[in-house]
PDB file of all heavy atoms in Angstrom:
ATOM      1  N   MET A   1      78.064  99.446 110.214  1.00  0.00           N
ATOM      2  CA  MET A   1      79.314  99.499 110.992  1.00  0.00           C
ATOM      3  C   MET A   1      79.811  98.077 111.259  1.00  0.00           C
ATOM      4  O   MET A   1      79.070  97.261 111.816  1.00  0.00           O
ATOM      5  CB  MET A   1      79.017 100.209 112.322  1.00  0.00           C
ATOM      6  CG  MET A   1      80.227 100.875 112.915  1.00  0.00           C
ATOM      7  SD  MET A   1      79.756 102.028 114.211  1.00  0.00           S
ATOM      8  CE  MET A   1      79.225 103.455 113.259  1.00  0.00           C
ATOM      9  N   TRP A   4      83.534  93.020 115.322  1.00  0.00           N
ATOM     10  CA  TRP A   4      84.072  91.669 115.521  1.00  0.00           C
ATOM     11  C   TRP A   4      84.220  91.421 117.021  1.00  0.00           C
ATOM     12  O   TRP A   4      84.442  92.367 117.798  1.00  0.00           O
ATOM     13  CB  TRP A   4      85.443  91.522 114.863  1.00  0.00           C
ATOM     14  CG  TRP A   4      85.458  91.848 113.408  1.00  0.00           C
ATOM     15  CD1 TRP A   4      85.244  90.975 112.369  1.00  0.00           C
ATOM     16  CD2 TRP A   4      85.675  93.129 112.791  1.00  0.00           C
ATOM     17  NE1 TRP A   4      85.325  91.642 111.174  1.00  0.00           N
ATOM     18  CE2 TRP A   4      85.592  92.960 111.398  1.00  0.00           C
ATOM     19  CE3 TRP A   4      85.941  94.401 113.284  1.00  0.00           C
ATOM     20  CZ2 TRP A   4      85.765  94.008 110.501  1.00  0.00           C
ATOM     21  CZ3 TRP A   4      86.103  95.457 112.400  1.00  0.00           C
ATOM     22  CH2 TRP A   4      86.013  95.258 111.017  1.00  0.00           C
ATOM     23  N   ARG A  13      84.622  99.067 113.766  1.00  0.00           N
ATOM     24  CA  ARG A  13      85.315  99.877 112.759  1.00  0.00           C
ATOM     25  C   ARG A  13      84.562 101.184 112.539  1.00  0.00           C
ATOM     26  O   ARG A  13      83.350 101.169 112.289  1.00  0.00           O
ATOM     27  CB  ARG A  13      85.390  99.096 111.433  1.00  0.00           C
ATOM     28  CG  ARG A  13      86.126  99.826 110.316  1.00  0.00           C
ATOM     29  CD  ARG A  13      86.082  99.032 109.007  1.00  0.00           C
ATOM     30  NE  ARG A  13      84.863  99.304 108.262  1.00  0.00           N
ATOM     31  CZ  ARG A  13      84.801  99.553 106.949  1.00  0.00           C
ATOM     32  NH1 ARG A  13      85.913  99.517 106.225  1.00  0.00           N
ATOM     33  NH2 ARG A  13      83.659  99.789 106.355  1.00  0.00           N
ATOM     34  N   THR A  20      91.278 105.946  96.441  1.00  0.00           N
ATOM     35  CA  THR A  20      91.793 104.873  95.595  1.00  0.00           C
ATOM     36  C   THR A  20      93.137 105.293  95.032  1.00  0.00           C
ATOM     37  O   THR A  20      93.438 106.484  94.918  1.00  0.00           O
ATOM     38  CB  THR A  20      90.847 104.555  94.409  1.00  0.00           C
ATOM     39  OG1 THR A  20      90.701 105.745  93.631  1.00  0.00           O
ATOM     40  CG2 THR A  20      89.500 104.065  94.891  1.00  0.00           C
ATOM     41  N   LEU A  28     105.561  99.735  95.341  1.00  0.00           N
ATOM     42  CA  LEU A  28     106.873 100.010  94.755  1.00  0.00           C
ATOM     43  C   LEU A  28     107.250  98.930  93.742  1.00  0.00           C
ATOM     44  O   LEU A  28     107.371  97.748  94.096  1.00  0.00           O
ATOM     45  CB  LEU A  28     107.892 100.027  95.901  1.00  0.00           C
ATOM     46  CG  LEU A  28     109.237 100.679  95.719  1.00  0.00           C
ATOM     47  CD1 LEU A  28     109.085 102.161  95.400  1.00  0.00           C
ATOM     48  CD2 LEU A  28     110.048 100.510  97.014  1.00  0.00           C
ATOM     49  N   ALA A  48      86.369  99.083  90.424  1.00  0.00           N
ATOM     50  CA  ALA A  48      86.029  98.502  89.114  1.00  0.00           C
ATOM     51  C   ALA A  48      87.182  98.605  88.131  1.00  0.00           C
ATOM     52  O   ALA A  48      87.310  97.783  87.217  1.00  0.00           O
ATOM     53  CB  ALA A  48      84.783  99.208  88.559  1.00  0.00           C
ATOM     54  N   GLY A  50      90.275  98.263  88.965  1.00  0.00           N
ATOM     55  CA  GLY A  50      91.399  97.470  89.464  1.00  0.00           C
ATOM     56  C   GLY A  50      92.352  98.275  90.333  1.00  0.00           C
ATOM     57  O   GLY A  50      93.428  97.799  90.696  1.00  0.00           O
ATOM     58  N   VAL A  53      91.725 100.176  96.810  1.00  0.00           N
ATOM     59  CA  VAL A  53      90.904 101.035  97.670  1.00  0.00           C
ATOM     60  C   VAL A  53      91.553 101.093  99.052  1.00  0.00           C
ATOM     61  O   VAL A  53      91.867 100.060  99.643  1.00  0.00           O
ATOM     62  CB  VAL A  53      89.461 100.503  97.782  1.00  0.00           C
ATOM     63  CG1 VAL A  53      88.625 101.432  98.652  1.00  0.00           C
ATOM     64  CG2 VAL A  53      88.833 100.350  96.407  1.00  0.00           C
ATOM     65  N   SER A  55      91.010 102.509 102.751  1.00  0.00           N
ATOM     66  CA  SER A  55      90.079 103.069 103.721  1.00  0.00           C
ATOM     67  C   SER A  55      90.880 103.697 104.861  1.00  0.00           C
ATOM     68  O   SER A  55      91.876 103.123 105.295  1.00  0.00           O
ATOM     69  CB  SER A  55      89.182 101.947 104.250  1.00  0.00           C
ATOM     70  OG  SER A  55      88.215 102.459 105.111  1.00  0.00           O
ATOM     71  N   ASP A  64      89.270  94.730 128.321  1.00  0.00           N
ATOM     72  CA  ASP A  64      89.761  94.786 129.703  1.00  0.00           C
ATOM     73  C   ASP A  64      89.170  95.971 130.470  1.00  0.00           C
ATOM     74  O   ASP A  64      89.867  96.665 131.218  1.00  0.00           O
ATOM     75  CB  ASP A  64      91.306  94.849 129.725  1.00  0.00           C
ATOM     76  CG  ASP A  64      91.940  93.634 129.035  1.00  0.00           C
ATOM     77  OD1 ASP A  64      91.338  92.541 129.085  1.00  0.00           O
ATOM     78  OD2 ASP A  64      93.020  93.793 128.432  1.00  0.00           O
ATOM     79  N   VAL A 111      94.557 105.722 123.660  1.00  0.00           N
ATOM     80  CA  VAL A 111      94.676 105.867 122.208  1.00  0.00           C
ATOM     81  C   VAL A 111      96.027 105.252 121.822  1.00  0.00           C
ATOM     82  O   VAL A 111      97.058 105.637 122.376  1.00  0.00           O
ATOM     83  CB  VAL A 111      94.645 107.343 121.774  1.00  0.00           C
ATOM     84  CG1 VAL A 111      94.885 107.472 120.266  1.00  0.00           C
ATOM     85  CG2 VAL A 111      93.324 107.992 122.163  1.00  0.00           C
ATOM     86  N   CYS A 113      98.750 104.730 118.835  1.00  0.00           N
ATOM     87  CA  CYS A 113      99.171 105.146 117.494  1.00  0.00           C
ATOM     88  C   CYS A 113     100.153 104.095 116.973  1.00  0.00           C
ATOM     89  O   CYS A 113     101.259 103.965 117.518  1.00  0.00           O
ATOM     90  CB  CYS A 113      99.840 106.515 117.532  1.00  0.00           C
ATOM     91  SG  CYS A 113      98.766 107.818 118.181  1.00  0.00           S
ATOM     92  N   GLY A 122      95.653 112.050 113.224  1.00  0.00           N
ATOM     93  CA  GLY A 122      94.924 113.306 113.009  1.00  0.00           C
ATOM     94  C   GLY A 122      93.944 113.678 114.100  1.00  0.00           C
ATOM     95  O   GLY A 122      93.950 114.808 114.599  1.00  0.00           O
ATOM     96  N   PRO A 137      90.503 113.808 126.202  1.00  0.00           N
ATOM     97  CA  PRO A 137      91.203 114.432 127.338  1.00  0.00           C
ATOM     98  C   PRO A 137      91.533 113.469 128.459  1.00  0.00           C
ATOM     99  O   PRO A 137      92.421 113.743 129.261  1.00  0.00           O
ATOM    100  CB  PRO A 137      90.195 115.502 127.810  1.00  0.00           C
ATOM    101  CG  PRO A 137      88.862 115.009 127.331  1.00  0.00           C
ATOM    102  CD  PRO A 137      89.116 114.270 126.067  1.00  0.00           C
ATOM    103  N   ASP A 164     103.606 118.531 114.694  1.00  0.00           N
ATOM    104  CA  ASP A 164     103.325 119.754 115.456  1.00  0.00           C
ATOM    105  C   ASP A 164     101.843 119.869 115.841  1.00  0.00           C
ATOM    106  O   ASP A 164     101.513 120.346 116.914  1.00  0.00           O
ATOM    107  CB  ASP A 164     103.724 120.990 114.633  1.00  0.00           C
ATOM    108  CG  ASP A 164     105.234 121.084 114.470  1.00  0.00           C
ATOM    109  OD1 ASP A 164     105.959 120.516 115.311  1.00  0.00           O
ATOM    110  OD2 ASP A 164     105.693 121.711 113.498  1.00  0.00           O
ATOM    111  N   ILE A 171     102.274 115.844 123.956  1.00  0.00           N
ATOM    112  CA  ILE A 171     103.501 115.798 124.767  1.00  0.00           C
ATOM    113  C   ILE A 171     103.455 116.956 125.770  1.00  0.00           C
ATOM    114  O   ILE A 171     103.711 116.773 126.958  1.00  0.00           O
ATOM    115  CB  ILE A 171     104.746 115.887 123.858  1.00  0.00           C
ATOM    116  CG1 ILE A 171     104.834 114.655 122.947  1.00  0.00           C
ATOM    117  CG2 ILE A 171     106.020 116.025 124.700  1.00  0.00           C
ATOM    118  CD1 ILE A 171     105.920 114.735 121.873  1.00  0.00           C
ATOM    119  N   VAL A 185      99.753  96.575 126.742  1.00  0.00           N
ATOM    120  CA  VAL A 185      98.873  97.707 127.057  1.00  0.00           C
ATOM    121  C   VAL A 185      97.925  97.343 128.197  1.00  0.00           C
ATOM    122  O   VAL A 185      97.725  98.104 129.135  1.00  0.00           O
ATOM    123  CB  VAL A 185      98.075  98.140 125.805  1.00  0.00           C
ATOM    124  CG1 VAL A 185      97.143  99.296 126.126  1.00  0.00           C
ATOM    125  CG2 VAL A 185      99.026  98.507 124.673  1.00  0.00           C
ATOM    126  N   GLU A 230     107.039  90.809  99.692  1.00  0.00           N
ATOM    127  CA  GLU A 230     108.122  91.625  99.116  1.00  0.00           C
ATOM    128  C   GLU A 230     107.585  92.907  98.461  1.00  0.00           C
ATOM    129  O   GLU A 230     108.373  93.776  98.084  1.00  0.00           O
ATOM    130  CB  GLU A 230     108.942  90.792  98.108  1.00  0.00           C
ATOM    131  CG  GLU A 230     108.242  90.466  96.790  1.00  0.00           C
ATOM    132  CD  GLU A 230     107.358  89.221  96.850  1.00  0.00           C
ATOM    133  OE1 GLU A 230     106.863  88.884  97.953  1.00  0.00           O
ATOM    134  OE2 GLU A 230     107.133  88.612  95.792  1.00  0.00           O
ATOM    135  N   ALA A 256      98.671  80.345 112.801  1.00  0.00           N
ATOM    136  CA  ALA A 256      97.747  80.473 113.933  1.00  0.00           C
ATOM    137  C   ALA A 256      96.333  80.755 113.431  1.00  0.00           C
ATOM    138  O   ALA A 256      96.150  81.268 112.338  1.00  0.00           O
ATOM    139  CB  ALA A 256      98.211  81.611 114.834  1.00  0.00           C
ATOM    140  N   ASP A 257      95.365  80.401 114.251  1.00  0.00           N
ATOM    141  CA  ASP A 257      93.980  80.719 113.893  1.00  0.00           C
ATOM    142  C   ASP A 257      93.698  82.133 114.395  1.00  0.00           C
ATOM    143  O   ASP A 257      93.169  82.322 115.489  1.00  0.00           O
ATOM    144  CB  ASP A 257      93.036  79.698 114.527  1.00  0.00           C
ATOM    145  CG  ASP A 257      91.588  79.996 114.160  1.00  0.00           C
ATOM    146  OD1 ASP A 257      91.358  80.627 113.108  1.00  0.00           O
ATOM    147  OD2 ASP A 257      90.697  79.619 114.938  1.00  0.00           O
ATOM    148  N   ASP A 278     103.021  77.960  98.261  1.00  0.00           N
ATOM    149  CA  ASP A 278     103.950  78.183  99.379  1.00  0.00           C
ATOM    150  C   ASP A 278     103.763  79.558 100.005  1.00  0.00           C
ATOM    151  O   ASP A 278     104.604  80.043 100.760  1.00  0.00           O
ATOM    152  CB  ASP A 278     105.412  77.950  98.943  1.00  0.00           C
ATOM    153  CG  ASP A 278     105.744  78.694  97.652  1.00  0.00           C
ATOM    154  OD1 ASP A 278     104.905  79.532  97.233  1.00  0.00           O
ATOM    155  OD2 ASP A 278     106.834  78.446  97.093  1.00  0.00           O
TER     156      ASP A 278
END
Side-chain angles (χ1 to χ4, degrees):
M1 206 165 281
W4 304 270
R13 182 184 85 135
T20 59
L28 199 61
V53 181
S55 184
D64 301 328
V111 175
C113 301
D164 291 336
I171 295 172
V185 179
E230 71 275 27
D257 181 25
D278 49 11

